[in-house]
Each structure stands twice: as C-alpha cells, then as structure tokens.
Amino acid sequence: MSFSAARAAYQRLYAGVPSSQYRNTGNIANTDQSASNTDMLLTHAAWNVKHVRAMEQPLLEAGRPLMAQAAHCIAQSAVALLQSRGIRLEQARIIAAIGGGNNGGDGLFAASELRTLGATVTLVCTSDAPHAQGLAAAQQAGCDCITLHTDQDIAQVLTTICDADVIIDALAGIGIKGSLRGVTGNLVQQLREAQYTAQHFPAVLAVDTPSGVGVDDGSCDGPILDATLTVACGVLKPCHLLPPAAYVCGDIIVADLDFDLTLSDPSVVHADLVAHWCMSPTRFDDSKYSRGVAGLVTGSVAYLGAALLSVRAASRAGVGMVRYCGPEHVRAMLLAQVPEAVLGSGTASAWVVGSGVPDSRHSQNSVGDEQQRQAIATLLQEYCALGQTDHEAQQSHTEQMPAEQLPVEPSYMAQPIRPMVIDAGALDLIDPHTQQLSHTIVTPHAAECARLLNTLQSQSSAQLTQVSVHDVLNHPVASALQLWQTTGATVLLKGAHTVIVGGPREQEPTIIVADNACSWMATAGSGDVLAGLTGAICASASEWIARHSTPEYRADAQYAVDFAHLMPILAAAGAHWHGFAGRLASGADRSHGVVYPPCNPQQPQPALHAWLRSTMRNTGKPIIASDIIERIPAAMQAAYQTA
Ligand SMILES: NC(=O)C1=CN([C@@H]2O[C@H](COP(=O)(O)OP(=O)(O)OC[C@H]3O[C@@H](n4cnc5c(N)ncnc54)[C@H](OP(=O)(O)O)[C@@H]3O)[C@@H](O)[C@H]2O)[C@@H](O)CC1
Ligand SMILES: Nc1ncnc2c1ncn2[C@@H]1O[C@H](COP(=O)(O)OP(=O)(O)O)[C@@H](O)[C@H]1O
C-alpha cells in the first residue's frame, strides 16, 4: 500500500498538521473516481499479477466475458495497426502465435474476429491443448492451424511467419513462469533473430505482455519479440512501465475491462502521476528564503563544469537562492557565469553533493578534491548525526570539524528536515552502518549502482556475489530495491528510463518510473543538471513544508516518516522534469512506449489508427546538457499548470 501511504504523507505534509488531525483519504484511486482520473490511472499506473488476478475475480464471478472483450480490443488494435500501414484487411496476412493458456485464448478469439473481417489468419500453436472454445471459434471462422512440436516444424513455418504483415504474440502473458522454454522459446528465439536481421519483418502485436518478459519486475531474461504495439488486458502491469521490458512493449493500449482500481494500490506508477504533488505553491508574499535555498557541494579541480551545470540547473528551478560551496578557483569561474549564486558556507533548505567530485578511485589527492570530499563527508556526518536522538553525538560531530570545513550551519539543520541529493563522487562516502539516509536521494547510473552495491555488500557480513553493470541494466528494479534496502535512501537509478525506489524501509517500497527523456539526453553533464534540478525541487518543497507545518507536527515522529514517503516523489519530480526539459530542448517525440487512451470494448473505438499513423515521430536534434537547463523554466511552468 505504498502509494496510499505516500499520498497520505504528502497531504499531511502540505496541510502542515499532525496525523491525528488529518483525515486519511485512502487508496489513491479512491480519492478521485472521475472518468479522467480513471483514464489517468489506466495509462500511468501498473498492478502486480496477484492484484490483477484479484481484480479479475469478481468480474469473472459476475459472468463478465472478459476474454471476449479483451479479444475484441486486440482485433480492433490489429485492424488499426494494418490501417496505419496502409494494408487493407482483405489483403492482410496475419499469424497468431498461440500458447496453451488464456493468453492464447485471447489470441484465438481475436484471430476469429479478424478472419471474419476478411483477413487471412494462420494459427501457429505451440501447445497441443490451446484454449478449446477459442480454437473452435477460430477454426470455424476459417483460420488455418499449424501445431509446432520440433525445431523442424519451426523451420518449416519460419518463412511464412516472417512474410506476414502482423504477428499476434499470444504465447504467454501474466501466467508465465521463468523465461520462455521448449518449442515456444525456440520459436521466439528464431523469430527474434529474423527480427534483427531480415529486411522485412511483420509488425508484432503483443497480447497483454510481450511473451517472455518478467511481468512483475520488468526483466527480460530469455528470448522475447520486440512488439510494435502491446494491448494490455484490464490494466497495465509493471513490465509495461519498467525497463528493460518496457523497451520491448512498443506502444501500449489498455483494454479497459472495468476493473475496480480501488481494490489495491498500484505496484508501480509513472512519474507523471505524482511529479506535480510536490510543486510548492508560489505565494505573492514569497521571499528568496521562503522559496528555498539550494546548497551545492559540487565540482572540483578535475570537473569544473559539473559545478557550473548543477548550480545553473538549480538556479533555473524556482528556488529563492543557490549557495555554492567549493574550491576557490571553481567559485571564481562560477561567479563569472552565474553571478546570482551565493558563495561560501551557510544554511540551505536542501543539499546537492558529489556531482563532478572525484570518487576515491579518481581523486588526485589535490587540495581542492580533498576539500570537497571532506566537506561532503562532514555534511553527511552532520546530517546523520542529526538523525540520531542523542544530542551529544550531534555536538561531538560538529565540534570536531574546523569551522571553515563545515558547509552548513549545524543549528539550522536540526529542525526541520533538510533533504540531500547524493550524486556521483559522493556515493562512495556513504556508510549505511552509521548513516540514516531516509531523507536523501542517491542518484547512481548503472555502473555506479553496481559499484555501490559491491562496496556495501563487502562491508556487510552478507554473502558476496559480485554485481555487474549488466546485472543492473537487466534488473534495474531489483538493483534499486537492494540499494534502497541497504541504505534507506531513495534510489534514483538513471538510464533511458529512470527507476525510483524509496519510502520508509519498514514499509512497502514506492516504485516510480520516469520515462519521458529522449536519448539525446545521454550526454555528458546531463546527470549534473539532474542533480541540481532535483536538489532545487527538494529545497523548495522542504522550505515550504517547514514554514507551513505546525511545531507539534514537526515534533511528531510521524513527520520524519512522512518526509521519507515524500522523498521518492521529489526524486520522481526531478527525473520527470529533467526528461521533459530535455525533450523540449531536443524537440524529440516519445520514440516508443506511448500509452494511448484506454480502449473500452463497449464504447466506440478511439482513433487508434490515427495515433499509430503518427508514428512518423520526430527524433529531435542533438543537445548538450546546457540546453536542458535552458528549458527547465518551461518544464516547471508546465508543472505548475498541472499542479
Ligand atoms: N482470466 C481472465 O479471464 C482473463 C485473462 N486474460 C488473459 O489471460 C492471460 C493469463 O492467462 P493464464 O493465467 O492462463 O496464463 P498465460 O499467460 O496464458 O500463461 C500460461 C501459458 O503459458 C505457458 N508457459 C508458462 N510459462 C512458460 C514458459 N516459461 N515458457 C513457455 N511457456 C510457458 C503455460 O504452459 P504450461 O506451463 O502449462 O506448459 C501456459 O500454456 C493474461 O495474460 C491475459 O492475456 C484476458 O483474457 C482478460 C481476462
Ligand atoms: N538513452 C537515454 N535516454 C534518455 N535519457 C538518458 C539515456 N541515457 C542516459 N540518460 C539520462 O542522462 C543522464 C546521464 O547522467 P550521468 O550518466 O550521471 O551523466 P553525467 O555524469 O555526465 O552528468 C541521466 O539523467 C540519464 O537518465
């Protein structure tokens, strides 16, 4: 129930009153059951298999023909796909690849409808016992049927399949166990090779999920066909949003089967659903302090630019002031380019540390590098000491440090909570044994995540299994979950799709995906911009909350827990608006993974073929990290209009 908890926490924090005075509004779907909210949930939230089964159950018991309804949406989507490619139905050659479960059943009923509409449809079954009624309907409609048992059988049909216009992939859906095996696995493996090498390959329409993906965790461990379009039955599943599975879903349409979305919280949500929660309202009587101060300990002798990029990003993101703490000559350069920045130690509403600071492996032991690393270590210690109840511990930490090394005034950090974004070279300064990181966001890319997991594991007594970059890329959610469990920090794992995992460790994690970036954003310095922007969002939020909450609430233990729930939302806002700003700068459309408005089988079809025809997408133009910064204000403006 992480999203209900996160939403309730967000509402309490923004209302500024203790939990005892706040009425819990419950499940996020419960809060607003309007049609537009339902559509928003259907296109931006995903439920685990066990929840999907629980949602289907009451409808099946009530005799609702879910399979027929799903099959109708699938058939109509196939028609739209053909239409968008200029292929007339009577000329269309469709292959329906059918497995032995209900997913195959969906495919068979869809095949029957398409055959009735005039298409030539061949069933390629990998099971001797496909869905009986579905098979009867498809054969009665006039579909040919081939059943595969051996590799030779596969070889005989491969050319026919590859020559078709559309493959309907109905081999396995949410009932899959492990990666595809047997004749199904071999068939998909060979088709996959053809998909990569053949000059012509059919469009692929996946039924519910591309067969072979890990439905709940988005893993892609075996052979899987890249779908052009996936028709999700009832609701989105995590694999539709989570990388790497999301990369093979193509575009997505949800067949709206009237599931009761209030039965359980979603397991994963899209950042778009939550990013605007923490856009702090602007007020006519704002001062530069009330809008928040973002403090940055970034950049170094080796990476001067990172200081500039992170500071410029933060100062474009709506805070009242940006404070920079760093080596002397970085400050000089910074001031020349960002005269608005305030230099030197002092207070901040949130901190960004580590971007452009060398980690222990790359530090040249120069005075500047050491000063930066020491300042960050001090800040982390200071931050964590304040998480302790023992006031003595707090005192001793600050007293040990020479005043000029303290980038923050200690008294100001105690109350209220000051979040921290820990990036790049600061990641190896984390000590999860002594540090309570529940109000921090760590921002590794895959390589940093693997390194950090290995370092943290080697420090613990847990069994040592080396994590590779490949492991993280293939299992980003599992990796982020592990890092969250080890550190308690919200994990923002960067990539083409950025995965965020966070919330209080004692509770179910909040899992969010930000997928609106474009690949032109894979450019040096883009991560520094993200860190600065995220830090600024944290600064405005923490300042707003601090100023609008009652002292009783801030003294209440619930306040810290609520804040921990807010951290993944703040991280999601950073990643979401970073992606948005980058896409604005590049002009790129979403290349794939567009989730279309839901298709309700009882209502007129949306103009899906028109949507699909617009797949002539603008790939955008190359950008540099500075271009992302320039577009942050426009992205923020959109955020405030949504909020
Ligand atoms: N309930 C409803 O009314 C509705 C359900 N809906 C639809 O039902 C789907 C779920 O159906 P489901 O539960 O039958 O499971 P499903 O995805 O077909 O998988 C089981 C099949 O896959 C096979 N298989 C498994 N693992 C495998 C592997 N590693 N490698 C190879 N094969 C493997 C397994 O083979 P077996 O293990 O039995 O040999 C069996 O044949 C759902 O995704 C949606 O499309 C919609 O119509 C809406 C209404
Ligand atoms: N293929 C991609 N598509 C979209 N965004 C990407 C892609 N690859 C990387 N990014 C984004 O670019 C940024 C790169 O961050 P990072 O690797 O830390 O760069 P740097 O250290 O140079 O600043 C991250 O926000 C990441 O999510």
Short mmCIF file of all heavy atoms in Angstrom, two decimals, residues 324-372:
data_model
loop_
_atom_site.label_atom_id
_atom_site.label_comp_id
_atom_site.label_asym_id
_atom_site.label_seq_id
_atom_site.Cartn_x
_atom_site.Cartn_y
_atom_site.Cartn_z
N TYR A 324 26.71 28.08 -3.22
CA TYR A 324 27.73 27.15 -3.70
C TYR A 324 28.91 27.08 -2.74
O TYR A 324 29.46 28.11 -2.32
CB TYR A 324 28.25 27.58 -5.09
CG TYR A 324 29.32 26.63 -5.55
CD1 TYR A 324 28.98 25.34 -5.95
CD2 TYR A 324 30.67 26.99 -5.53
CE1 TYR A 324 29.96 24.43 -6.33
CE2 TYR A 324 31.65 26.08 -5.90
CZ TYR A 324 31.29 24.81 -6.30
OH TYR A 324 32.25 23.91 -6.64
N CYS A 325 29.28 25.86 -2.39
CA CYS A 325 30.45 25.64 -1.53
C CYS A 325 31.45 24.81 -2.33
O CYS A 325 31.09 23.70 -2.76
CB CYS A 325 30.09 24.87 -0.27
SG CYS A 325 28.66 25.53 0.57
N GLY A 326 32.63 25.31 -2.55
CA GLY A 326 33.60 24.53 -3.32
C GLY A 326 34.92 25.25 -3.38
O GLY A 326 35.08 26.34 -2.83
N PRO A 327 35.88 24.65 -4.09
CA PRO A 327 37.24 25.22 -4.13
C PRO A 327 37.24 26.63 -4.70
O PRO A 327 36.39 26.98 -5.52
CB PRO A 327 37.99 24.27 -5.06
CG PRO A 327 37.17 23.04 -5.17
CD PRO A 327 35.76 23.41 -4.85
N GLU A 328 38.26 27.37 -4.28
CA GLU A 328 38.35 28.80 -4.59
C GLU A 328 38.25 29.09 -6.09
O GLU A 328 37.45 29.92 -6.52
CB GLU A 328 39.70 29.31 -4.03
CG GLU A 328 39.75 30.80 -3.77
CD GLU A 328 38.60 31.26 -2.86
OE1 GLU A 328 38.42 30.71 -1.74
OE2 GLU A 328 37.88 32.16 -3.31
N HIS A 329 39.05 28.36 -6.90
CA HIS A 329 39.06 28.77 -8.31
C HIS A 329 37.79 28.31 -9.04
O HIS A 329 37.41 28.87 -10.05
CB HIS A 329 40.33 28.32 -9.03
CG HIS A 329 40.36 26.88 -9.39
ND1 HIS A 329 40.51 25.88 -8.47
CD2 HIS A 329 40.25 26.29 -10.60
CE1 HIS A 329 40.50 24.73 -9.09
NE2 HIS A 329 40.34 24.93 -10.38
N VAL A 330 37.09 27.31 -8.49
CA VAL A 330 35.79 26.93 -9.08
C VAL A 330 34.81 28.07 -8.80
O VAL A 330 34.04 28.47 -9.66
CB VAL A 330 35.27 25.61 -8.48
CG1 VAL A 330 33.93 25.25 -9.08
CG2 VAL A 330 36.27 24.48 -8.70
N ARG A 331 34.90 28.61 -7.60
CA ARG A 331 34.00 29.72 -7.25
C ARG A 331 34.19 30.90 -8.18
O ARG A 331 33.23 31.52 -8.62
CB ARG A 331 34.29 30.22 -5.83
CG ARG A 331 33.97 29.22 -4.76
CD ARG A 331 34.16 29.88 -3.43
NE ARG A 331 34.25 28.90 -2.37
CZ ARG A 331 34.26 29.20 -1.09
NH1 ARG A 331 34.18 30.46 -0.73
NH2 ARG A 331 34.33 28.27 -0.19
N ALA A 332 35.46 31.19 -8.49
CA ALA A 332 35.75 32.35 -9.35
C ALA A 332 35.10 32.15 -10.72
O ALA A 332 34.44 33.05 -11.24
CB ALA A 332 37.26 32.51 -9.48
N MET A 333 35.27 30.95 -11.25
CA MET A 333 34.69 30.69 -12.57
C MET A 333 33.17 30.74 -12.50
O MET A 333 32.50 31.29 -13.37
CB MET A 333 35.14 29.30 -13.03
CG MET A 333 34.64 28.94 -14.40
SD MET A 333 34.54 27.17 -14.63
CE MET A 333 33.26 26.72 -13.49
N LEU A 334 32.65 30.19 -11.43
CA LEU A 334 31.20 30.12 -11.26
C LEU A 334 30.59 31.52 -11.22
O LEU A 334 29.58 31.80 -11.87
CB LEU A 334 30.91 29.38 -9.96
CG LEU A 334 29.49 28.94 -9.75
CD1 LEU A 334 29.17 27.78 -10.66
CD2 LEU A 334 29.30 28.52 -8.30
N LEU A 335 31.25 32.37 -10.47
CA LEU A 335 30.70 33.71 -10.29
C LEU A 335 30.64 34.46 -11.62
O LEU A 335 29.71 35.23 -11.87
CB LEU A 335 31.55 34.48 -9.28
CG LEU A 335 30.81 35.56 -8.52
CD1 LEU A 335 29.56 35.02 -7.87
CD2 LEU A 335 31.72 36.19 -7.48
N ALA A 336 31.63 34.18 -12.46
CA ALA A 336 31.65 34.85 -13.76
C ALA A 336 30.44 34.44 -14.60
O ALA A 336 29.93 35.22 -15.38
CB ALA A 336 32.94 34.52 -14.48
N GLN A 337 30.00 33.22 -14.41
CA GLN A 337 28.91 32.72 -15.26
C GLN A 337 27.54 32.73 -14.58
O GLN A 337 26.52 32.78 -15.25
CB GLN A 337 29.24 31.29 -15.69
CG GLN A 337 30.54 31.27 -16.46
CD GLN A 337 30.52 30.27 -17.59
OE1 GLN A 337 29.46 29.93 -18.10
NE2 GLN A 337 31.68 29.81 -17.97
N VAL A 338 27.54 32.60 -13.27
CA VAL A 338 26.26 32.65 -12.54
C VAL A 338 26.40 33.66 -11.40
O VAL A 338 26.59 33.28 -10.24
CB VAL A 338 25.88 31.25 -11.95
CG1 VAL A 338 24.41 31.24 -11.51
CG2 VAL A 338 26.15 30.14 -12.91
N PRO A 339 26.30 34.93 -11.72
CA PRO A 339 26.50 35.93 -10.66
C PRO A 339 25.45 35.83 -9.57
O PRO A 339 25.64 36.34 -8.46
CB PRO A 339 26.40 37.27 -11.42
CG PRO A 339 25.83 36.96 -12.76
CD PRO A 339 26.08 35.53 -13.04
N GLU A 340 24.34 35.14 -9.87
CA GLU A 340 23.26 35.01 -8.88
C GLU A 340 23.66 34.10 -7.72
O GLU A 340 23.08 34.17 -6.64
CB GLU A 340 22.00 34.41 -9.52
CG GLU A 340 21.39 35.24 -10.63
CD GLU A 340 22.02 34.96 -12.00
OE1 GLU A 340 23.00 34.19 -12.07
OE2 GLU A 340 21.55 35.53 -13.00
N ALA A 341 24.65 33.23 -7.94
CA ALA A 341 24.99 32.25 -6.89
C ALA A 341 25.65 32.94 -5.70
O ALA A 341 26.43 33.88 -5.86
CB ALA A 341 25.93 31.20 -7.46
N VAL A 342 25.30 32.45 -4.52
CA VAL A 342 25.92 32.96 -3.30
C VAL A 342 27.02 31.98 -2.92
O VAL A 342 26.80 30.76 -2.92
CB VAL A 342 24.86 33.06 -2.18
CG1 VAL A 342 25.52 33.40 -0.86
CG2 VAL A 342 23.83 34.10 -2.56
N LEU A 343 28.19 32.48 -2.63
CA LEU A 343 29.32 31.58 -2.40
C LEU A 343 29.63 31.44 -0.92
O LEU A 343 29.45 32.37 -0.14
CB LEU A 343 30.56 32.12 -3.13
CG LEU A 343 30.38 32.35 -4.64
CD1 LEU A 343 31.66 32.89 -5.25
CD2 LEU A 343 29.97 31.06 -5.31
N GLY A 344 30.10 30.26 -0.56
CA GLY A 344 30.58 30.04 0.80
C GLY A 344 29.55 29.36 1.68
O GLY A 344 28.39 29.18 1.29
N SER A 345 30.02 28.96 2.86
CA SER A 345 29.18 28.15 3.74
C SER A 345 28.00 28.94 4.28
O SER A 345 28.01 30.17 4.30
CB SER A 345 30.00 27.59 4.89
OG SER A 345 30.33 28.63 5.77
N GLY A 346 27.00 28.20 4.70
CA GLY A 346 25.80 28.84 5.24
C GLY A 346 24.67 27.85 5.28
O GLY A 346 24.89 26.63 5.18
N THR A 347 23.47 28.35 5.37
CA THR A 347 22.32 27.46 5.52
C THR A 347 21.76 27.09 4.15
O THR A 347 22.00 27.77 3.17
CB THR A 347 21.21 28.15 6.31
OG1 THR A 347 20.79 29.28 5.56
CG2 THR A 347 21.69 28.57 7.68
N ALA A 348 21.04 25.98 4.13
CA ALA A 348 20.34 25.59 2.90
C ALA A 348 19.10 24.80 3.26
O ALA A 348 19.04 24.17 4.32
CB ALA A 348 21.26 24.76 2.01
N SER A 349 18.12 24.83 2.38
CA SER A 349 16.89 24.06 2.61
C SER A 349 17.05 22.63 2.14
O SER A 349 16.32 21.74 2.56
CB SER A 349 15.73 24.70 1.84
OG SER A 349 15.79 26.09 1.89
N ALA A 350 17.99 22.42 1.22
CA ALA A 350 18.34 21.07 0.77
C ALA A 350 19.73 21.15 0.15
O ALA A 350 20.16 22.22 -0.28
CB ALA A 350 17.35 20.57 -0.28
N TRP A 351 20.41 20.01 0.13
CA TRP A 351 21.80 19.98 -0.36
C TRP A 351 21.95 19.05 -1.55
O TRP A 351 21.26 18.03 -1.65
CB TRP A 351 22.74 19.52 0.76
CG TRP A 351 22.89 20.57 1.81
CD1 TRP A 351 22.18 20.70 2.96
CD2 TRP A 351 23.80 21.67 1.78
NE1 TRP A 351 22.58 21.81 3.65
CE2 TRP A 351 23.59 22.42 2.95
CE3 TRP A 351 24.78 22.10 0.89
CZ2 TRP A 351 24.32 23.58 3.24
CZ3 TRP A 351 25.52 23.24 1.18
CH2 TRP A 351 25.28 23.98 2.35
N VAL A 352 22.84 19.42 -2.44
CA VAL A 352 23.25 18.54 -3.53
C VAL A 352 24.74 18.33 -3.38
O VAL A 352 25.49 19.31 -3.33
CB VAL A 352 22.99 19.19 -4.91
CG1 VAL A 352 23.43 18.25 -6.03
CG2 VAL A 352 21.54 19.58 -5.06
N VAL A 353 25.17 17.09 -3.29
CA VAL A 353 26.60 16.86 -3.10
C VAL A 353 27.12 15.81 -4.09
O VAL A 353 26.42 14.86 -4.43
CB VAL A 353 26.91 16.38 -1.65
CG1 VAL A 353 26.49 17.44 -0.63
CG2 VAL A 353 26.24 15.05 -1.32
N GLY A 354 28.33 16.02 -4.57
CA GLY A 354 29.05 14.96 -5.27
C GLY A 354 29.16 15.08 -6.78
O GLY A 354 30.06 14.48 -7.36
N SER A 355 28.27 15.82 -7.45
CA SER A 355 28.36 15.90 -8.92
C SER A 355 29.71 16.54 -9.27
O SER A 355 30.02 17.63 -8.77
CB SER A 355 27.24 16.76 -9.49
OG SER A 355 26.03 16.50 -8.82
N GLY A 356 30.49 15.87 -10.10
CA GLY A 356 31.78 16.42 -10.50
C GLY A 356 32.83 16.40 -9.41
O GLY A 356 33.86 17.06 -9.53
N VAL A 357 32.55 15.65 -8.35
CA VAL A 357 33.58 15.47 -7.31
C VAL A 357 34.16 14.07 -7.55
O VAL A 357 33.39 13.11 -7.68
CB VAL A 357 32.96 15.56 -5.90
CG1 VAL A 357 34.00 15.24 -4.83
CG2 VAL A 357 32.37 16.94 -5.68
N PRO A 358 35.48 13.93 -7.68
CA PRO A 358 36.02 12.60 -7.96
C PRO A 358 35.73 11.63 -6.82
O PRO A 358 35.71 12.04 -5.65
CB PRO A 358 37.53 12.84 -8.07
CG PRO A 358 37.73 14.30 -8.04
CD PRO A 358 36.50 14.95 -7.50
N ASP A 359 35.45 10.38 -7.17
CA ASP A 359 35.30 9.39 -6.10
C ASP A 359 36.69 8.98 -5.63
O ASP A 359 37.69 9.48 -6.13
CB ASP A 359 34.45 8.20 -6.58
CG ASP A 359 35.08 7.45 -7.73
OD1 ASP A 359 36.28 7.65 -7.99
OD2 ASP A 359 34.37 6.67 -8.38
N SER A 360 36.75 8.05 -4.69
CA SER A 360 38.04 7.73 -4.08
C SER A 360 39.02 7.17 -5.13
O SER A 360 40.22 7.34 -5.01
CB SER A 360 37.86 6.74 -2.95
OG SER A 360 37.23 5.58 -3.45
N ARG A 361 38.49 6.56 -6.20
CA ARG A 361 39.38 5.95 -7.19
C ARG A 361 40.00 7.01 -8.09
O ARG A 361 41.06 6.81 -8.66
CB ARG A 361 38.61 4.95 -8.07
CG ARG A 361 38.02 3.78 -7.30
CD ARG A 361 37.10 2.96 -8.19
NE ARG A 361 36.22 3.84 -8.96
CZ ARG A 361 35.92 3.67 -10.24
NH1 ARG A 361 36.41 2.66 -10.90
NH2 ARG A 361 35.11 4.51 -10.86
N HIS A 362 39.30 8.12 -8.27
CA HIS A 362 39.78 9.11 -9.24
C HIS A 362 40.34 10.38 -8.59
O HIS A 362 40.83 11.25 -9.29
CB HIS A 362 38.65 9.50 -10.20
CG HIS A 362 38.21 8.35 -11.05
ND1 HIS A 362 37.12 7.58 -10.74
CD2 HIS A 362 38.77 7.80 -12.16
CE1 HIS A 362 37.00 6.61 -11.65
NE2 HIS A 362 37.98 6.73 -12.51
N SER A 363 40.25 10.45 -7.30
CA SER A 363 40.73 11.65 -6.64
C SER A 363 42.24 11.76 -6.84
O SER A 363 42.98 10.80 -6.68
CB SER A 363 40.38 11.58 -5.15
OG SER A 363 40.99 12.65 -4.50
N GLN A 364 42.70 12.96 -7.22
CA GLN A 364 44.15 13.18 -7.43
C GLN A 364 44.83 13.58 -6.12
O GLN A 364 45.99 13.97 -6.13
CB GLN A 364 44.36 14.33 -8.44
CG GLN A 364 43.65 14.13 -9.77
CD GLN A 364 44.20 12.94 -10.53
OE1 GLN A 364 45.41 12.81 -10.69
NE2 GLN A 364 43.32 12.05 -10.96
N ASN A 365 44.09 13.50 -5.05
CA ASN A 365 44.60 13.94 -3.75
C ASN A 365 45.02 15.41 -3.78
O ASN A 365 45.88 15.83 -3.04
CB ASN A 365 45.79 13.09 -3.30
CG ASN A 365 45.31 11.73 -2.86
OD1 ASN A 365 44.19 11.61 -2.35
ND2 ASN A 365 46.12 10.72 -3.06
N SER A 366 44.45 16.16 -4.73
CA SER A 366 44.76 17.58 -4.74
C SER A 366 44.02 18.24 -3.58
O SER A 366 43.03 17.68 -3.06
CB SER A 366 44.33 18.21 -6.06
OG SER A 366 42.92 18.26 -6.10
N VAL A 367 44.47 19.39 -3.20
CA VAL A 367 43.86 20.07 -2.06
C VAL A 367 42.37 20.29 -2.32
O VAL A 367 41.52 20.03 -1.49
CB VAL A 367 44.58 21.43 -1.82
CG1 VAL A 367 43.92 22.18 -0.66
CG2 VAL A 367 46.04 21.20 -1.54
N GLY A 368 42.07 20.73 -3.55
CA GLY A 368 40.67 21.03 -3.88
C GLY A 368 39.78 19.80 -3.77
O GLY A 368 38.70 19.84 -3.18
N ASP A 369 40.24 18.69 -4.36
CA ASP A 369 39.45 17.45 -4.32
C ASP A 369 39.21 17.01 -2.88
O ASP A 369 38.11 16.65 -2.49
CB ASP A 369 40.19 16.31 -5.05
CG ASP A 369 40.19 16.51 -6.55
OD1 ASP A 369 39.59 17.50 -7.00
OD2 ASP A 369 40.80 15.69 -7.25
N GLU A 370 40.29 17.02 -2.13
CA GLU A 370 40.20 16.56 -0.74
C GLU A 370 39.24 17.44 0.06
O GLU A 370 38.46 16.96 0.87
CB GLU A 370 41.59 16.56 -0.09
CG GLU A 370 42.34 15.27 -0.31
CD GLU A 370 41.45 14.05 -0.08
OE1 GLU A 370 40.98 13.86 1.05
OE2 GLU A 370 41.20 13.30 -1.05
N GLN A 371 39.33 18.73 -0.22
CA GLN A 371 38.47 19.68 0.48
C GLN A 371 37.00 19.36 0.18
O GLN A 371 36.16 19.35 1.09
CB GLN A 371 38.82 21.09 0.01
CG GLN A 371 38.22 22.18 0.85
CD GLN A 371 38.51 23.54 0.22
OE1 GLN A 371 39.28 23.65 -0.72
NE2 GLN A 371 37.88 24.56 0.75
N GLN A 372 36.72 19.07 -1.09
CA GLN A 372 35.34 18.77 -1.47
C GLN A 372 34.88 17.49 -0.78
O GLN A 372 33.78 17.42 -0.23
CB GLN A 372 35.22 18.60 -2.99
CG GLN A 372 35.24 19.89 -3.78
CD GLN A 372 34.04 20.76 -3.50
OE1 GLN A 372 33.98 21.37 -2.42
NE2 GLN A 372 33.11 20.85 -4.41
#
